[in-house]
Amino acid sequence: MVEEVQKHSVHTLVFRSLKRTHDMFITDQGIPPAKDDKGEILKRRVKTIDEYKMVKDLPKEGQRKQQQQSVIKPYETNQWQQNQDTLIQGTHPYPGGPGVQLTDGTAMQTDPSYNASVEMALYEQNRQIEAQLGSSVQDIRGSDQSKALVTIGQQQALVPKKAQTMAKPVWHPPWKLYRVISGHLGWVRCVAVEPGNQWFATGANDRMIKIWDLASGTLKLSLTGHISAVRGVVVSPRQPYLFSCGEDKQVKCWDLEYNKTIKHYHGHLSAVYAIDLHPTIDVLVTCGRDGTARVWDMRTKACIHTLTGHNNTVADIRCQAAEPQVITGSHDSTIRLWDLAAGKSRVTLTNHKKSVRALTLHPKHYTFASASADNIKEWKFPDGNFIQNLPGHNAIINALTVNSDGVLVSGADNGSMHFWDWKTGYNFQRMQSLAQPGSIDSEAGIFALQYDHSGSRLITAEADKTVKIYKEDDSATEESHPINWRPDIIKKKKY
């Protein structure tokens, strides 16, 4: 017969468990643990090293003069490298407690804290010598960088440094609209001025390339041949050729003496968004939605290089004679500087956080600018060193251009144009392009900007199917149009 198990309440079971636990550990209560001699010694050593490290290895009286002399003598590089390791050798490598003297047989090398004090002593000695020679302001190494040591008579005092301020920008006359040219039947996507500064070409979504007289704004010629929107045009400075590219994947060479296509460059797998010419050799560069940039031999139509590395649409491309010879900006938020000879990327700039849609090279300085929805950034060649941010144009920027006077212009999707001083990054003028009658407000976007070769006229290609020309206000002076500039403190640059 199976004996029935007696059931108890939860309260009873918990109480029994607590009682058993109490009975098990009651014997240890009030009795200190056994003393561990090794642990005590280890504890003292750790405490000695931690709290008395700076003073526990002081030399004996006879060695003190010798040590002071070693502080004064010049410090050599080899000596610095030899003293990097900390070694204390002798009868008491680790004293059992504070105040234990080292024996005469102890060899001692300085620890890093002593090396730092030696270096600081030498630095202070050199600073005092410079002060005697007439230097009035010196920074102390290791002190607060916001303060400087100023010598006033026979005394010295730490005073706060003046905050770094933005340099005063150069005055530029304001720009104003003086001509609107209509004729295209679609969004005008690109513009290029010919080297003689007599005419300029535009390409649009109506698949047409139109050539306009720069002085009068009259239409001179229309070129047909593309079967989709024309996204890029460029005029050769050495041959009577015009090159174009479009969303039909085609790159065309037009002979302007016969006004017809003479070459096609086949290879892009999707829409071609931008085109440029090398200034000194017969090379053509294009980029597009297939994520590549291609380098073409202008004469043989051969694809010399396919520059791969971007993982999204390559929106803009620029060419120059100096290294790096090709620069691309992409929707993957990066800018790449390419070695044209090797066909490889030299530098990848990842500072932008949003897609890079426009690039421009300064005509005189060895610098360039890139535009994204987060910021406009200026860079220095050849390694792409960051110069400064130009914040404030809070829109999708489609176009950038700069003239030799240092006037940088950015044009955006919402029709806003900002004019900047290149050197200081000061935004001296803002304009809003107005959509033409018959257009909706959202067609105020600017797709391309280009200065003429004199730098005095600015041509814009816009979404309201017009081409607008701006020029400087000749009647403006620095007194009549003063710049609203104050010497703001330079803030930390955002990347």
Side-chain angles (χ1 to χ4, degrees):
M1 182 178 177
V2 179
E3 188 178 344
E4 189 177 352
V5 178
Q6 189 178 1
K7 295 181 179 178
H8 297 283
S9 66
V10 174
H11 180 272
T12 304
L13 294 173
V14 171
F15 182 77
R16 284 182 181 176
S17 177
L18 287 172
K19 190 174 183 307
R20 288 194 194 100
T21 306
H22 179 268
D23 293 341
M24 186 181 297
F25 293 105
I26 191 62
T27 55
D28 294 336
Q29 298 299 318
I31 303 173
K35 191 172 182 180
D36 184 2
D37 295 333
K38 289 186 178 179
E40 191 68 23
I41 293 171
L42 184 62
K43 176 184 172 183
R44 286 189 180 183
R45 287 183 178 177
V46 170
K47 189 176 180 69
T48 301
I49 293 171
D50 183 49
E51 297 187 10
Y52 303 100
K53 181 175 69 172
M54 300 294 290
V55 296
K56 72 182 180 65
D57 297 326
L58 288 175
K60 295 169 70 175
E61 187 64 32
Q63 297 173 339
R64 196 164 294 158
K65 290 181 182 179
Q66 219 172 4
Q67 207 164 335
Q68 287 175 351
Q69 290 172 359
S70 65
V71 174
I72 304 302
K73 70 176 186 179
Y75 212 66
E76 297 176 358
T77 306
N78 294 336
Q79 187 181 350
W80 169 258
Q81 291 170 351
Q82 288 169 3
N83 286 341
Q84 289 298 311
D85 299 327
T86 303
L87 289 175
I88 303 176
Q89 300 170 346
T91 54
H92 294 279
Y94 293 99
V100 177
Q101 290 291 332
L102 298 176
T103 61
D104 292 336
T106 302
M108 187 176 75
Q109 292 184 359
T110 57
D111 63 357
S113 61
Y114 179 73
N115 289 336
S117 65
V118 171
E119 188 183 8
M120 190 66 195
L122 288 170
Y123 181 88
E124 184 68 15
Q125 183 183 7
N126 292 335
R127 188 194 58 72
Q128 290 174 359
I129 293 171
E130 289 173 3
Q132 292 171 2
L133 293 175
S135 177
S136 60
V137 179
Q138 300 91 12
D139 293 340
I140 297 182
R141 180 176 177 179
S143 66
D144 186 0
Q145 292 299 315
S146 64
K147 295 184 178 180
L149 187 71
V150 179
T151 304
I152 306 170
Q154 299 296 322
Q155 297 181 342
Q156 293 179 333
L158 279 173
V159 297
K161 291 182 183 177
K162 286 186 70 175
Q164 190 179 4
T165 56
M166 182 191 293
K168 186 176 180 180
V170 177
W171 181 82
H172 300 284
W175 292 71
K176 62 180 182 179
L177 175 68
Y178 86 101
R179 177 166 289 146
V180 179
I181 302 171
S182 58
H184 277 292
L185 302 178
W187 291 356
V188 188
R189 302 304 299 248
C190 52
V191 59
V193 181
E194 65 100 12
N197 219 34
Q198 301 296 314
W199 52 267
F200 66 94
T202 56
N205 277 17
D206 59 3
R207 308 184 297 278
M208 304 277 284
I209 298 170
K210 291 183 181 286
I211 294 176
W212 312 85
D213 184 69
L214 185 58
S216 63
T218 56
L219 179 64
K220 299 179 71 172
L221 185 67
S222 294
L223 300 174
T224 59
H226 279 283
I227 58 174
S228 190
V230 182
R231 295 295 294 264
V233 288
V234 62
V235 185
S236 172
R238 295 190 303 279
Q239 299 95 355
Y241 294 159
L242 180 144
F243 296 87
S244 64
C245 64
E247 293 181 5
D248 51 8
K249 311 177 192 175
Q250 295 185 27
V251 180
K252 293 176 179 285
C253 174
W254 304 80
D255 189 328
L256 295 175
E257 291 178 344
Y258 296 96
N259 298 331
K260 65 178 184 179
T261 306
I262 58 171
K263 290 187 180 75
H264 289 86
Y265 302 87
H266 297 286
H268 276 286
L269 306 177
S270 190
V272 189
Y273 280 1
I275 188 169
D276 202 11
L277 287 172
H278 196 283
T280 56
I281 58 178
D282 291 338
V283 162
L284 178 70
V285 292
T286 56
C287 65
R289 202 163 60 201
D290 58 5
T292 66
R294 294 177 186 265
V295 183
W296 310 89
D297 187 318
M298 191 186 295
R299 301 180 186 281
T300 65
K301 303 180 288 184
C303 181
I304 302 168
H305 291 303
T306 300
L307 307 177
T308 57
H310 289 292
N311 53 31
N312 207 328
T313 299
V314 184
D316 204 1
I317 191 165
R318 287 287 182 269
C319 229
Q320 63 175 2
E323 295 287 345
Q325 297 182 3
V326 180
I327 304 97
T328 56
S330 169
H331 287 189
D332 64 7
S333 307
T334 66
I335 302 159
R336 285 180 180 257
L337 313 181
W338 302 86
D339 184 339
L340 184 58
K344 294 181 180 178
S345 174
R346 289 179 44 162
V347 181
T348 303
L349 307 175
T350 59
N351 299 46
H352 281 291
K353 299 297 178 284
K354 297 185 180 178
S355 58
V356 181
R357 293 170 178 259
L359 300 168
T360 186
L361 310 184
H362 196 285
K364 289 183 176 179
H365 305 163
Y366 197 36
T367 54
F368 74 103
S370 60
S372 175
D374 57 359
N375 262 319
I376 301 169
K377 296 180 186 293
E378 290 180 6
W379 313 86
K380 190 175 182 180
F381 288 125
D383 299 321
N385 297 323
F386 177 79
I387 300 174
Q388 65 179 343
N389 269 331
L390 278 63
H393 200 167
N394 301 318
I396 299 172
I397 302 171
N398 291 321
L400 277 182
T401 188
V402 62
N403 64 7
S404 55
D405 292 333
V407 178
L408 175 70
V409 189
S410 55
D413 255 6
N414 57 7
S416 59
M417 276 197 305
H418 285 204
F419 293 79
W420 312 82
D421 177 53
W422 180 275
K423 186 175 180 182
T424 60
Y426 174 70
N427 180 205
F428 68 88
Q429 187 181 2
R430 298 184 180 186
M431 296 181 71
Q432 179 65 42
S433 177
L434 299 175
Q436 293 304 294
S439 301
I440 57 178
D441 289 339
S442 61
E443 288 188 323
I446 297 170
F447 289 119
L449 296 165
Q450 183 73 49
Y451 281 108
D452 73 340
H453 292 288
S454 68
S456 60
R457 285 171 287 189
L458 176 67
I459 307 166
T460 65
E462 306 199 7
D464 62 355
K465 306 171 188 175
T466 65
V467 178
K468 296 186 176 72
I469 302 179
Y470 297 81
K471 67 176 183 179
E472 293 177 336
D473 188 350
D474 297 332
S475 61
T477 63
E478 197 165 354
E479 289 74 26
S480 63
H481 293 77
I483 56 175
N484 183 24
W485 174 82
R486 287 176 298 179
D488 296 330
I489 296 172
I490 294 177
K491 297 176 183 176
K492 187 178 179 182
K493 294 176 181 176
K494 294 181 181 177
Y495 287 79

